Amino acid sequence: MASSEQQRSVFLGVDVGTGSARAGIFDENGKLLGSASSPIQIWKEGDCIEQSSTDIWHAVCAAVKSACSVATVAPEEVIGLGFAATCSLVAVDADGSPVTVSWSGDARRNIIVWMDHRAVNQAERINSSKSPVLQYCGGALSPEMQAPKLLWVKENLKESWSMVCRWMDLSDWLAYRATGDDTRSLCTTVCKWTYLGHAHMDLPESRDMEACGWDDDFWEEIGLGDLVEGHHSKIGRSVAFPGHPLGSGLTPAAAMELGLLAGTPVGTSLIDAHAGGVGVMESIPDSDSKSEDEDAITSRLVLVCGTSTCHMAVSKSKLLVPGVWGPFWSAMVPEYWLTEGGQSATGALLDYIVESHLAGPLVANRAASQSISVYEYMNKLLASMAQDQNAPFLSALTEDLHVLPDFHGNRSPIADPKSKGMICGLTLDTSEKCLTLLYLATVQGIAYGTRHIIEHCNSHGHKINTLLACGGLAKNALYIQEHADITGCPIILPRENESVLLGAAILGAVASNKYTTLHSAMKALNAAGRVIYPSKDPKVKKYHDSKYKIFRSLYEQQLLHRSIMAQALS
């Protein structure tokens, strides 16, 4: 190996998603050198969705070793690493062993997955408390947040409740498993645990901080006062900014399992979507990029689009947006307030639409025979349908088909977990063309939801005019073009597809002291790829403006239907 290669420094990012653990190795220019993934187990029973921290750690170790092998990276070249993960809830005892959170009693199942909706009732009761902390999560806690899930466990699994020594967000648990330091991230605690990060506003960024942002009255009021005991030892005694170095780096045991060196710096974690934000938010084309305007970042909205979609914007001032999570101080970019919108099912909804349709297997087989994805196949079919039908533009194919995409509730901006999906315009047709039109209408429905979030945020003080997209759905050209046309905003795609892995690696870069701040690391390691512009055809704008009115009316109709039926059953 050449001497220059021996001296290279690389950063390692780990991302634990819903279905797999992934690892990526990046060089000092933010370029991906190699990545690998390893599947993780999931148990689904109704509203209960569970995983195993033991299984996830094994998958992480496998992915890290494979990524290092693919990138031909030696352990000593990895100078920092960071973890990102779904905001799932992990339960461990005093020895760090798993404690079941499952009706089954299976000790392996010690994680309540982020999308688990078992705690809808508990969320409603917590929201009725009208606690002041709720104004920092859009006025209402989602059942996907941690307080309702904790209350559910206390009420339903009393033995488990008494055994748990630490309740942790998954990304914090990964960092704890790697370093032995159970300092929590301002990202996880502020976004999912009602921690008030702005309690630290006047403290310097590098401080290891005692947790002074818990509202003890809130926990007492909702029936979880026992979590306040021991200086909040079960939910977090100390917090840190994302990227802050933890403990003494990797413990010898964790280093051996990961195939890395003991003492390798580990940065305080991020939730996966927020890591995507860190990995993409400064991915601005060269002509715009080197602006020193610190406020430029506040006109951007990051879409992290995978199974679900997160919509993330930052601001210098505190902007309260009803129905949208936040504002969260320093939860993504230190010293900026984060506003976080979201749609609970986007990639998951498109998969459902295809897999539940009679023509789904046919489309899957035809796509496989061409060695392309189902969505690439349908995108090609839509182009030929538009040509065959002399449609004025492709989007016009769905003039009679309208979708409200709330199949897993509405996270933002309505914040109604009881909202249901709606499809208007069905016929007896079961052909692949019928499925393909339904797919297009669903993509459009998701994009109208994003437009609704942007309009709502801008009406409350944001100035969003540019989108940046990453995640699996960002690779779908039709999905991105429809979003550009429907929102009227240009969409920047990053140079590196793996933005969440890059965001996690940036945490390692900051922990290694290669960069003094997370934001400076973002500016150095983010890079733009293509820019997708909205259509300039006024007919396209008029068409989408009209469909958007119908989209907005579908939820109003649903509320009316709900009211009529509630009266009938009262």
Side-chain angles (χ1 to χ4, degrees), residues 207-518:
R207 280 273 293 275
D208 218 348
M209 301 178 295
E210 187 178 334
C212 61
W214 294 116
D215 184 326
D216 293 352
D217 292 342
F218 166 72
W219 294 103
E220 297 276 1
E221 193 177 337
I222 68 170
L224 293 174
D226 34 350
L227 295 179
V228 170
E229 295 165 9
H231 300 290
H232 315 95
S233 61
K234 290 185 178 180
I235 56 174
R237 286 184 182 184
S238 60
V239 295
F241 289 92
H244 179 80
L246 291 169
S248 303
L250 286 179
T251 64
M256 188 175 293
E257 292 169 308
L258 292 163
L260 300 171
L261 296 187
T264 302
V266 177
T268 301
S269 303
L270 284 165
I271 297 166
D272 53 358
H274 302 67
V278 165
V280 76
M281 204 159 209
E282 285 290 356
S283 300
I284 300 304
D286 287 340
S287 55
D288 314 333
S289 70
K290 308 316 165 192
S291 140
E292 295 305 314
D293 178 5
E294 287 297 310
D295 287 338
I297 195 173
T298 63
S299 65
R300 304 171 197 153
L301 179 74
V302 174
L303 304 184
V304 184
C305 13
T307 306
S308 62
T309 295
C310 287
H311 304 69
M312 287 176 294
V314 296
S315 57
K316 274 305 220 181
S317 56
K318 178 172 77 174
L319 299 174
L320 295 161
V321 185
V324 178
W325 295 348
F328 301 132
W329 188 75
S330 289
M332 188 171 76
V333 184
E335 299 187 19
Y336 284 84
W337 293 87
L338 170 68
T339 296
E340 184 188 344
Q343 293 163 299
S344 290
T346 49
L349 175 57
L350 293 173
D351 289 346
Y352 167 79
I353 291 292
V354 173
E355 290 163 12
S356 63
H357 197 280
L358 270 178
L362 173 68
V363 167
N365 287 336
R366 288 188 168 166
S369 71
Q370 296 179 29
S371 301
I372 57 176
S373 75
V374 165
Y375 300 111
E376 287 173 293
Y377 176 79
M378 289 192 291
N379 291 353
K380 284 170 66 177
L381 185 55
L382 283 167
S384 68
M385 287 166 67
Q387 198 170 8
D388 293 346
Q389 295 176 31
N390 288 320
F393 42 86
L394 188 145
S395 302
L397 290 169
T398 57
E399 65 176 308
D400 296 324
L401 196 54
H402 310 283
V403 175
L404 182 71
D406 295 356
F407 286 57
H408 199 55
N410 182 287
R411 189 188 296 172
S412 313
I414 296 166
D416 180 0
K418 292 183 174 177
S419 183
K420 303 290 190 289
M422 297 172 72
I423 302 173
C424 174
L426 293 174
T427 70
L428 292 174
D429 189 352
T430 58
S431 68
E432 66 170 352
K433 288 185 177 178
C434 164
L435 168 56
T436 301
L437 287 178
L438 183 55
Y439 153 68
L440 173 58
T442 305
V443 168
Q444 290 168 340
I446 292 167
Y448 296 133
T450 291
R451 174 170 166 174
H452 192 189
I453 290 167
I454 293 169
E455 288 181 356
H456 189 66
C457 287
N458 284 350
S459 72
H460 286 84
H462 281 277
K463 296 182 174 64
I464 296 160
N465 59 27
T466 303
L467 308 185
L468 299 105
C470 64
L473 290 177
K475 298 167 189 171
N476 182 331
L478 176 111
Y479 188 90
I480 293 299
Q481 188 64 60
E482 290 297 299
H483 273 73
D485 292 347
I486 285 166
T487 63
C489 297
I491 302 181
I492 302 167
L493 300 175
R495 179 191 67 194
E496 296 298 332
N497 279 328
E498 300 292 359
S499 302
V500 176
L501 286 176
L502 175 58
I506 285 172
L507 299 172
V510 176
S512 74
N513 276 330
K514 173 76 179 173
Y515 300 96
T516 54
T517 68
L518 189 75

